[in-house]
């Protein structure tokens, strides 16, 4: 079974600064996907970024980027130029590659990020 | 694109009654839908996975006779909480994906309060 660990229950950052959220995972799979989702106070889950394990290049989406270290099973999220709207709970998630699997997501416990003005 | 809706967004019911929650994919065909439960300040717990036209696959510890899931079309899945009790009070979230992709798109959630 896969496990996802987010060791930072809460973090805070000043507006316009950079923050990095940590995520580690444990799996025996060699092919899989990793995701970061955010859940703002509205509780709507929003996909932030995804990474395919077979790709060495780190994914980026505007101000969001990841540091994917496959050997270390680490998948951190960096948010640059933090904005007040980034305040949310961030969940790291793991999914086995398809090939007949049912695409189940395994979530970490989340990190509550607060961006201060 | 990839919008998922849920109805209702909030429901209050009396203990012993049944409640139905709908999950709809508005602009894509949802070949697979998922139902999650989230307690306050906790992560999402997968309850079941359903493929269109097939019986749902429930996670260990989830009572299939209590949480009835129907995925009768490519745009609609329903979760019925039967004989609800106060301990069933929670936030229920659905997600959906289409075939050939790996990304799940989430609905806005339904807050269930059982009195």
């Amino acid at each position: 079974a896969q496990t996802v660990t987010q060791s930072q229950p809460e973090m805070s950052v000043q507006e316009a600064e950079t923050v990095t959220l940590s995520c580690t995972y444990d799996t025996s799979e060699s092919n899989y996907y990793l995701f970061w989702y955010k859940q703002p106070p509205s509780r709507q889950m929003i996909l932030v970024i995804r990474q395919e394990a077979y790709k060495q290049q780190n994914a980026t989406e505007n101000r969001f980027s990841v540091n994917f270290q496959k050997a270390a099973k680490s998948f951190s999220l960096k948010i640059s130029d933090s904005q007040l709207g980034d305040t949310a709970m961030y969940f790291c998630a793991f999914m086995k590659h398809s090939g007949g699997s049912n695409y189940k997501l395994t979530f970490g416990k989340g990190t509550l990020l607060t961006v201060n003005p | 694109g990839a919008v998922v809706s849920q109805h209702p967004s909030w429901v209050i019911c009396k203990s012993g009654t049944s409640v139905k929650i709908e999950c709809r994919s508005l602009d894509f065909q949802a070949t697979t839908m998922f139902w999650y439960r989230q307690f306050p300040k906790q992560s999402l717990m997968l309850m079941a996975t359903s493929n269109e036209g097939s019986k749902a696959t429930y996670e260990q510890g989830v009572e299939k006779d209590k949480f009835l899931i129907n995925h009768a079309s490519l745009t609609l899945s329903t979760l019925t909480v039967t004989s609800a009790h106060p301990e069933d009070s929670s936030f229920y979230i659905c997600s959906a994906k289409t075939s050939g992709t790996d990304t799940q798109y989430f609905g806005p959630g339904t807050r269930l309060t059982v009195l």
Side-chain angles (χ1 to χ4, degrees), chain A residues 33 35 37 39 42-47 50 52 89 91 95 102-105 107-110, chain B residues 32 34 36 38-40 42-44 46 49 59 91 93 97 101-104 106-108 111:
Chain A
Y33 300 97
F35 303 85
Y37 281 91
Q39 188 180 39
S42 67
R43 302 193 76 171
Q44 168 75 59
M45 293 285 285
I46 301 167
L47 176 65
R50 65 187 284 275
E52 296 162 359
M89 180 72 85
F91 293 100
M95 182 192 334
N102 57 7
Y103 302 94
K104 291 198 301 185
L105 281 169
F107 286 93
K109 291 188 175 183
Chain B
T32 306
F34 305 83
Y36 296 85
Q38 186 180 31
F39 290 105
Q42 293 191 22
S43 189
L44 280 72
L46 179 65
T49 303
E59 295 299 299
F91 194 66
I93 306 174
K97 66 173 289 296
T101 68
D102 54 81
T103 300
Q104 293 181 27
F106 286 80
R111 181 180 302 280

Side-chain angles (χ1 to χ4, degrees), chain A:
Chain A
Q2 286 68 231
T3 59
V4 178
T5 302
Q6 293 179 248
S7 58
Q8 306 150 315
E10 295 187 31
M11 293 191 72
S12 63
V13 64
Q14 291 298 122
E15 196 174 6
E17 294 188 346
T18 296
V19 64
T20 298
L21 309 182
S22 300
C23 173
T24 58
Y25 58 95
D26 188 24
T27 184
S28 58
E29 302 287 329
S30 59
N31 205 2
Y32 48 87
Y33 300 97
L34 295 164
F35 303 85
W36 279 97
Y37 281 91
K38 69 180 276 190
Q39 188 180 39
S42 67
R43 302 193 76 171
Q44 168 75 59
M45 293 285 285
I46 301 167
L47 176 65
V48 175
I49 200 165
R50 65 187 284 275
Q51 174 82 41
E52 296 162 359
Y54 67 87
K55 289 187 176 180
Q56 293 185 341
Q57 187 172 6
N58 289 322
T60 63
E61 286 290 342
N62 301 314
R63 298 183 295 108
F64 300 88
S65 62
V66 298
N67 183 3
F68 174 47
Q69 301 291 328
K70 191 172 183 178
K73 295 180 181 175
S74 172
F75 183 62
S76 61
L77 174 69
K78 185 172 81 171
I79 305 174
S80 305
D81 186 25
S82 297
Q83 300 176 358
L84 296 179
D86 295 334
T87 292
M89 180 72 85
Y90 286 80
F91 293 100
C92 178
F94 172 100
M95 182 192 334
K96 289 196 296 185
H97 190 269
S98 55
S101 73
N102 57 7
Y103 302 94
K104 291 198 301 185
L105 281 169
T106 300
F107 286 93
K109 291 188 175 183
T111 296
L112 178 61
L113 175 68
T114 302
V115 180
N116 299 307

Side-chain angles (χ1 to χ4, degrees), chain B residues 39-115:
Chain B
F39 290 105
K41 298 186 178 181
Q42 293 191 22
S43 189
L44 280 72
M45 181 192 78
L46 179 65
M47 299 174 67
T49 303
S50 71
N51 293 300
E52 185 265 338
S54 302
K55 288 185 178 180
T57 301
Y58 290 80
E59 295 299 299
Q60 191 173 7
V62 178
E63 299 175 59
K64 62 180 181 180
D65 294 331
K66 180 167 187 61
F67 298 99
L68 301 179
I69 292 172
N70 183 279
H71 189 173
S73 78
L74 285 171
T75 59
L76 173 65
S77 176
T78 59
L79 167 67
T80 301
V81 183
T82 62
S83 187
H85 288 94
E87 57 265 31
D88 298 324
S89 297
S90 189
F91 194 66
Y92 292 88
I93 306 174
C94 74
S95 71
K97 66 173 289 296
T98 193
S99 63
T101 68
D102 54 81
T103 300
Q104 293 181 27
Y105 297 95
F106 286 80
T110 296
R111 181 180 302 280
L112 170 63
T113 301
V114 184
L115 301 176

